[in-house]
Amino acid sequence: MTSNRPYLIRAIFDWIIDNGMTPHLLVDADHPSASVPRGFVEDGRIVLNVAPQAVHGLQLGNDAIRFSARFGGNPFNVELAPQAVLGLYARENGHGMLFPDEEPAADEHTESEGMGKGPGADGGGAPKKPQRPALRVVK
């Protein structure tokens, strides 16, 4: 299954803009896909103001987030995968969402390869039963 992160980024971005606030992306600057201005990175992270008046050509795609902006007066083209986004929040009140770590896409592919095969089809015996959720009543 595809990641829901790009969809959540777009939805929260729209929600922040619709409420007249300033969206900020918290980005893992050390992510392999992150092309960000290194001079503004602190502790491996960078906060990017992605308000429409602060950036030019913002594209919030499923595979990449792209825009150009000025950092310290110098233009810079930013590009990163949605997986590099750690969170998206409104500067004014901090409301938004932090994203959990995702499993690599390769793991999802290998899990789905074994699905749909009958018992013994792959030499592994009977298929595993899915675990039931563990719910309890809280009073």
Side-chain angles (χ1 to χ4, degrees):
M1 185 156 40
T2 62
S3 172
N4 63 1
R5 189 174 299 206
Y7 302 94
L8 292 172
I9 290 171
R10 285 191 294 271
I12 295 168
F13 175 86
D14 288 343
W15 173 71
I16 292 170
I17 294 297
D18 289 349
N19 283 284
M21 298 197 189
T22 310
H24 280 82
L25 288 176
L26 176 62
V27 174
D28 175 6
D30 295 330
H31 191 277
S33 73
S35 174
V36 296
R38 302 302 301 175
F40 295 89
V41 173
E42 292 182 18
D43 297 324
R45 298 178 176 181
I46 187 169
V47 176
L48 302 169
N49 176 353
V50 290
Q53 61 271 23
V55 299
H56 179 68
L58 178 63
Q59 298 174 0
L60 299 174
N62 289 347
D63 297 325
I65 296 171
R66 295 179 183 93
F67 62 90
S68 59
R70 297 184 80 78
F71 294 88
N74 298 315
F76 193 90
N77 291 324
V78 175
E79 184 171 349
L80 54 113
Q83 290 73 24
V85 176
L86 302 172
L88 175 61
Y89 63 93
R91 177 184 64 200
E92 292 79 2
N93 62 12
H95 290 181
M97 178 181 270
L98 293 176
F99 298 106
D101 291 336
E102 289 185 343
E103 296 293 321
D107 290 344
E108 292 174 5
H109 181 65
T110 55
E111 286 177 16
S112 64
E113 285 177 355
M115 298 183 111
K117 295 180 181 178
D122 61 354
K128 294 180 183 178
K129 290 184 180 179
Q131 289 185 339
R132 296 184 66 184
L135 299 176
R136 60 187 171 115
V137 176
V138 179
K139 294 183 181 182

